Amino acid sequence: MGNHKQGTPLKGFWEKPEPELLELLQATPAGLTSDEAQRRLDLYGPNSMVKESRFAALVSLLRFLINPLVIILLVASGISLALGDPVGGSIIIAIVLLSVLLNFFMEFQAQHAVEEIRKQVATTAAVIRDGRDQEMPVANLVPGDVIRLNAGDLVPADARLLEVKDLQVRESALTGESLCVEKTLGDLPPGKHGVADARNCVFMGTAVQTGIGTAVVACTGRNTVFGEIAQRLATRPPETEFGRGIRRFGIMITRVIMLLVLFVLLVNIAFHRPILESFLFSVALAVGMTPEMMPMIITVTLAQGARRMTRKKVLVKQLSAIEDFGSIEILCSDKTGTLTEGEIVLDRHVDVQGKDDDSVLRFIYLNSFFQAGIKSPLDDAVLKHDHPLIAEYQKLDEIPFDFIRKRLSVVVRRADERLLVTKGEAESIFSICQTVSIDGSSRPFDESRRAQAADTFQKLSADGFRVLGVAVRTVDKLDAYTVVAEKDMTLAGFAAFLDPPKEGIPAVLEALKQNGVSVVIMTGDNQYVTQKIAQDVGLKMDRVVIGDQVDTMDDPALAYQAENGAIFARVSPEQKNRVILALKARGHVVGYIGDGINDAPSLHTADVGISVMNGVEVAKDAAKIILLEKDLAVLNDGIIEGRRCFANIMKYIVMGTSSNFGNMFSMAAASLFLSFLPMLPTQILLNNFLYDVSQISIPSDNVDPALLRRPKRWRIAFIRQFMMIIGPISSIYDFLTFGVLLWVFHASMNAPLFHTGWFVESLATQTLVVFVIRTAGNPLKSRPSGPLLAAVFAIVAIAAVLPYTPLGTLLQFTPLPLSLLGAIGFLAITYLLLVQLVKSWFYRRHALL
């Protein structure tokens, strides 16, 4: 391919003349063949920012091995082997490696499941291959491909334009310029030009706002302008609510572990115990207290949740979004397609007096038929309606829609007559009209007729119609027409569209309310039709805030209105964004559902951006969640699934910070008064490994309905208090076990008996307590999942049987008398009862029951 070498971008390709660029790319406007495209894909690699590695699995395994605690244990075990303790050193190495492999295997499976889901939401591009238009994944694009662009598309690669029609692109992602850039054909003047000057090209990551175009791909993946910027910056995405909670929890648990382990090590050294054994004991304690399975538990939980959500027609682009999804307190939504059917029909076309008028139909049909780019649902409704013949009309130009003017115009010609036909929001149309058509004749659009037009508009809106104003005027011959031409127009009348409320939507809204989610409607429609729809679906409609009022309010006032059920009508994308930011500033977790070009900023700003599969690419790219159906019922199911995932993750965390932490604290305390270590390092590690295995099935556990009814947030203070109250109960029973072992079974002179008895008791109590901790209520009325039951009882059985096996002898365990097993069983049962009593008091205190 000419001088376009592998791995180097075609720098400044926009400065090259079109024939020279096509020759360099060995491309034609007819596109590539599939065979040639595959050859180039092998040469240049996928059109992706992420470089795929064949060693990804190995890198993931090494990531687990370079954990500081793992390295310390392996080094200490190597020293132990060198000093003549091959059995102890080998056992520690084996347990550590088993734990690492278990983590790796479970996370690898979860990541594989996530990749399968991501493939379902892969962005596609319209490409000319083998002489025909095709839809294919963006990752398969190669230099020389010819692509089609429409309004709402994300530009999939850096490309030179071959054809354009009213093409405007938002390039703020690259240049910071908020206004759209109009694209043109032709070569740039000689000399050096930056990206901002390249009007003849489009660039990856920018968004097509209006119009259509065809372009030849010049650079892909990390060789694009966007790719170079991304590599230079390498910025991390903003921290989510979920990520923030995990980080704070990690900081808290690290501080506790460091203090306790350092204390134990110093005490053991002060008592003149062997330094290596004391060091191994301290590190083993750190391993026991560290929730090292937490990343795996989180990944597996979220991956399983993502799979369940896929079955419920909710696709997850980003795993951490699942938990944030369940935390949503306020859901901001447009009404079209969520509260309403989204199947819009043109029901009426009337003049300002409310009388049917075929000329209104003719004008709006001309506008919708000739407008370029993607059609809105209103345009589709117009084009499906019976209409007059328009073969004698020819399009001359177009003034594209934007969200400031809120209207779109086309210029058409019939014979020698040139007409500017404009449709848009009624108030916007009123502002450019000087006359009004009444009974076929033009009259001044004075105050009385403006009031009459406004009254007709309000009546249509109050009846549930979405209303567009239609205006027309003759224009002189010009080379091009701009917004300046939209003046002195004649108001023809109104087109009224019907979009009825969805069947069953009141029940869904009530279910969301019962589940603690407030729905805030934010729409560009006028307040009259919005109030009508709100009334039909059972929403409060006594507080309607329109766009002009939003501009007069400060952020706290906006948040107050949204918190108290206000409906926002006639709001722009920027105003929607302000409402979301105001709510987030008040500490709310905010979701936003949208599928249009104008929704992208709000989807990005919200904690959870939600789009739909048939939404525009810009919206789907900004969203974290993709709905296969634009239905609030599906959304409600997804929110509940997010809460289920969060509840199961919290089970593991409170388990690890209460019973498990209590046992490790007891071990540290026991080392102060015993003449031997309370448990050997190998036994501590085995205890921790078996405990971890029992927790693997937590992601599949059932969740109490009460925990799914309200949004849940990370509360580090709650976790810390739970640890400080439940943990000591575990320690109390450990000390009772010490007393039984020392004074009833005289284990003060029999270290193996002490080690074995406490190993069995600590493993039984810290695993069985999951049945109490997993529910806020009565554990006998909350059924755990089958896998969790099987895993916990299997581990308890292994702990009880292990001392009687050859492996137990190798691990320096000794068989326990049946009377001691009975005493341990009695202690375990009373421990579970006491934990249940204290837990019930604790939850009542925190008003969680």
Side-chain angles (χ1 to χ4, degrees):
M1 277 179 56
N3 297 320
H4 192 192
K5 304 291 187 183
Q6 181 181 6
T8 60
L10 238 171
K11 286 186 178 297
F13 67 90
W14 51 88
E15 298 169 351
K16 300 182 184 298
E18 183 179 311
E20 181 185 340
L21 180 63
L22 289 173
E23 184 180 350
L24 280 170
L25 293 169
Q26 294 182 7
T28 70
L32 302 175
T33 64
S34 294
D35 291 341
E36 175 61 18
Q38 184 59 51
R39 187 186 72 78
R40 297 188 188 195
L41 186 64
D42 295 337
L43 180 65
Y44 295 104
N47 180 32
S48 170
M49 293 296 155
V50 180
K51 187 174 181 181
E52 296 181 6
S53 171
R54 68 185 74 178
F55 305 111
L58 179 60
V59 170
S60 179
L61 179 60
L62 289 174
R63 183 168 50 84
F64 285 110
L65 285 171
I66 60 174
N67 178 296
L69 289 176
V70 169
I71 292 173
I72 290 171
L73 281 171
L74 291 177
V75 170
S77 301
I79 295 171
S80 184
L81 287 170
L83 294 178
D85 184 13
V87 175
S90 299
I91 290 172
I92 291 175
I93 291 171
I95 293 173
V96 169
L97 291 179
L98 273 174
S99 182
V100 166
L101 287 172
L102 178 66
N103 265 288
F104 168 74
F105 177 72
M106 295 299 294
E107 188 163 301
F108 182 79
Q109 274 197 326
Q111 292 294 353
H112 180 70
V114 173
E115 288 305 316
E116 289 299 312
I117 291 169
R118 280 180 181 160
K119 287 178 183 177
Q120 297 183 55
V121 292
T123 306
T124 60
V127 189
I128 302 175
R129 286 267 178 94
D130 300 318
R132 58 190 176 86
D133 287 2
Q134 303 180 40
E135 284 284 332
M136 61 179 52
V138 165
N140 292 352
L141 291 184
V142 295
D145 262 326
V146 176
I147 56 175
R148 306 278 197 197
L149 299 170
N150 283 291
D153 287 349
L154 274 179
V155 177
D158 288 0
R160 173 69 177 265
L161 289 163
L162 303 176
E163 298 175 10
V164 297
K165 185 181 288 185
D166 305 309
L167 186 67
Q168 295 199 20
V169 178
R170 190 177 293 278
E171 295 185 336
S172 54
L174 290 183
T175 65
E177 174 57 60
S178 59
L179 297 177
C180 290
V181 177
E182 185 175 359
K183 294 296 180 177
T184 58
L185 298 180
D187 299 334
L188 298 178
K192 290 291 182 183
H193 299 278
V195 171
D197 302 321
R199 297 295 182 99
N200 58 352
C201 295
V202 288
F203 299 94
M204 174 185 270
T206 60
V208 180
Q209 196 76 0
T210 61
I212 57 177
T214 303
V216 60
V217 173
C219 299
T220 58
R222 295 185 295 171
N223 291 335
T224 60
V225 174
F226 189 82
E228 290 179 350
I229 293 172
Q231 289 179 74
R232 285 201 303 269
L233 297 179
T235 54
R236 299 184 66 178
E239 191 174 41
T240 64
E241 166 80 8
F242 182 65
R244 192 159 46 249
I246 291 289
R247 178 176 56 80
R248 289 173 178 169
F249 171 74
I251 291 170
M252 181 198 78
I253 205 72
T254 299
R255 288 171 177 168
V256 173
I257 290 170
M258 288 180 65
L259 286 172
L260 192 58
V261 168
L262 186 62
F263 172 74
V264 169
L265 179 61
L266 292 174
V267 167
N268 276 278
I269 291 174
F271 284 7
H272 305 292
R273 289 171 182 161
I275 292 178
L276 178 61
E277 191 174 51
S278 298
F279 178 71
L280 277 172
F281 177 74
S282 300
V283 174
L285 268 183
V287 172
M289 287 186 290
T290 302
E292 74 279 8
M293 296 282 280
M294 189 168 78
M296 183 274 290
I297 290 287
I298 289 173
T299 303
V300 172
T301 302
L302 296 179
Q304 289 184 2
R307 277 178 161 171
R308 287 193 294 267
M309 288 169 77
T310 301
R311 289 195 291 269
K312 294 177 179 179
K313 301 184 178 180
V314 179
L315 298 182
V316 180
K317 284 175 58 184
Q318 190 176 324
L319 271 188
S320 62
I322 295 178
E323 193 279 333
D324 291 328
F325 201 23
S327 300
I328 288 175
E329 300 165 296
I330 296 178
L331 175 66
C332 300
S333 171
D334 191 6
K335 64 177 183 57
T336 305
T338 48
L339 300 183
T340 61
E341 290 290 352
E343 293 294 329
I344 299 172
V345 294
L346 176 58
D347 191 70
R348 299 191 64 189
H349 38 89
V350 300
D351 63 13
V352 294
Q353 301 174 91
K355 296 188 294 187
D356 289 344
D357 190 332
D358 288 339
S359 66
V360 174
L361 175 61
R362 182 173 76 257
F363 291 138
I364 197 167
Y365 189 85
L366 283 168
N367 184 292
S368 295
F369 181 82
F370 284 118
Q371 80 169 76
I374 205 164
K375 307 287 187 184
S376 75
L378 298 181
D379 292 312
D380 292 336
V382 171
L383 297 177
K384 290 176 184 175
H385 194 278
D386 293 336
H387 56 85
L389 296 176
I390 60 166
E392 56 191 344
Y393 288 92
Q394 178 187 355
K395 180 180 177 181
L396 299 179
D397 203 355
E398 176 173 338
I399 305 171
F401 177 87
D402 66 57
F403 291 98
I404 305 300
R405 292 164 35 251
K406 297 185 178 179
R407 56 182 182 261
L408 179 147
S409 300
V410 297
V411 181
V412 296
R413 182 179 68 190
R414 183 179 64 173
D416 293 330
E417 182 187 36
R418 289 174 175 80
L419 285 178
L420 175 70
V421 183
T422 304
K423 71 167 186 277
E425 188 179 271
E427 290 88 342
S428 172
I429 297 296
F430 289 174
S431 69
I432 57 173
C433 289
Q434 284 289 102
T435 57
V436 58
S437 177
I438 296 179
D439 297 327
S441 61
S442 182
R443 306 288 176 83
F445 194 44
D446 55 22
E447 288 301 321
S448 64
R449 292 191 176 100
R450 181 182 289 266
Q452 183 183 36
D455 184 60
T456 300
F457 165 68
Q458 288 182 21
K459 286 178 179 176
L460 289 169
S461 298
D463 288 336
F465 289 105
R466 297 184 67 181
V467 183
L468 291 181
V470 182
V472 63
R473 83 174 178 99
T474 57
V475 291
D476 295 329
K477 182 180 178 180
L478 296 173
D479 291 334
Y481 296 86
T482 66
V483 294
V484 176
E486 294 176 336
K487 64 179 181 180
D488 301 333
M489 301 192 72
T490 298
L491 178 61
F494 303 104
F497 301 84
L498 195 60
D499 184 14
K502 278 186 176 177
E503 188 176 344
I505 200 68
V508 175
L509 290 173
E510 181 60 29
L512 283 167
K513 183 179 178 181
Q514 293 299 319
N515 290 326
V517 179
S518 302
V519 177
V520 176
I521 301 302
M522 298 195 299
T523 178
D525 267 353
N526 64 74
Q527 63 268 41
Y528 310 111
V529 67
T530 305
Q531 282 180 302
K532 169 65 175 171
I533 294 296
Q535 181 183 20
D536 289 345
V537 299
L539 284 175
K540 289 191 303 182
M541 57 174 199
D542 54 344
R543 195 188 301 254
V544 178
V545 179
I546 61 174
D548 293 342
Q549 294 172 316
V550 169
D551 290 336
T552 66
M553 296 182 183
D554 58 17
D555 286 352
L558 271 181
Y560 174 82
Q561 294 290 343
E563 289 167 344
N564 288 276
I567 293 170
F568 293 85
R570 288 182 58 206
V571 285
S572 67
E574 293 76 15
Q575 290 168 332
K576 291 180 182 181
N577 223 33
R578 266 198 68 204
V579 176
I580 293 171
L581 286 169
L583 287 168
K584 288 179 69 174
R586 291 276 284 256
H588 295 290
V589 179
V590 183
Y592 181 85
I593 177 169
D595 61 356
I597 301 169
N598 59 322
D599 292 313
S602 297
L603 287 166
H604 184 76
T605 300
D607 292 291
V608 185
I610 306 153
S611 190
V612 292
M613 198 53 129
N614 60 353
V616 298
E617 295 297 341
V618 178
K620 288 195 289 185
D621 182 73
K624 296 178 181 177
I625 304 285
I626 306 289
L627 304 183
L628 295 180
E629 295 179 357
K630 193 171 183 182
D631 188 347
L632 287 181
V634 172
L635 199 60
N636 189 42
D637 290 341
I639 288 172
I640 296 303
E641 192 57 55
R643 293 177 187 177
R644 178 175 285 108
C645 292
F646 181 72
N648 281 335
I649 290 169
M650 287 302 297
K651 288 175 191 176
Y652 176 79
I653 289 173
V654 295
M655 280 283 293
T657 53
S658 54
S659 64
N660 188 33
F661 179 81
N663 279 338
M664 295 303 124
F665 179 79
S666 305
M667 207 172 299
S671 66
L672 302 180
F673 61 82
L674 288 174
S675 59
F676 49 82
L677 290 177
M679 206 182 289
L680 299 178
T682 54
Q683 296 166 348
I684 296 174
L685 292 173
L686 178 63
N687 182 295
N688 184 64
F689 175 74
L690 292 175
Y691 167 79
D692 285 343
V693 170
S694 75
Q695 305 301 298
I696 286 175
S697 53
I698 278 182
S700 65
D701 190 26
N702 302 324
V703 176
D704 292 349
L707 293 177
L708 304 177
R709 290 194 192 113
R710 313 300 300 175
K712 294 292 184 288
R713 304 283 296 273
W714 278 91
R715 292 191 296 167
I716 299 302
F718 171 84
I719 296 172
R720 184 168 53 245
Q721 290 175 32
F722 196 89
M723 177 179 73
M724 299 305 294
I725 291 173
I726 302 297
I729 299 175
S730 177
S731 296
I732 289 169
Y733 270 81
D734 287 335
F735 288 125
L736 286 174
T737 303
F738 297 163
V740 170
L741 288 169
L742 293 173
W743 297 318
V744 178
F745 292 91
H746 310 293
S748 56
M749 305 301 294
N750 188 349
L753 180 65
F754 188 94
H755 295 159
T756 306
W758 193 36
F759 176 88
V760 174
E761 185 271 344
S762 66
L763 193 55
T765 53
Q766 70 179 330
T767 53
L768 289 171
V769 79
V770 71
F771 299 127
V772 177
I773 289 177
R774 59 173 292 278
T775 174
N778 186 340
L780 298 178
K781 295 180 180 179
S782 176
R783 184 177 180 180
S785 68
L788 183 62
L789 275 170
V792 170
F793 283 118
I795 294 302
V796 172
I798 288 171
V801 172
L802 185 62
Y804 304 92
T805 65
L807 179 60
T809 303
L810 186 65
L811 292 165
Q812 300 185 47
F813 289 130
T814 188
L816 296 178
L818 290 178
S819 55
L820 178 53
L821 282 175
I824 290 172
F826 174 78
L827 287 170
I829 291 170
T830 55
Y831 166 70
L832 297 179
L833 291 173
L834 183 58
V835 169
Q836 170 60 21
L837 289 173
V838 175
K839 180 205 72 178
S840 298
W841 165 82
F842 180 82
Y843 277 103
R844 279 197 300 272
R845 178 185 168 199
H846 283 265
L848 293 179
L849 277 177

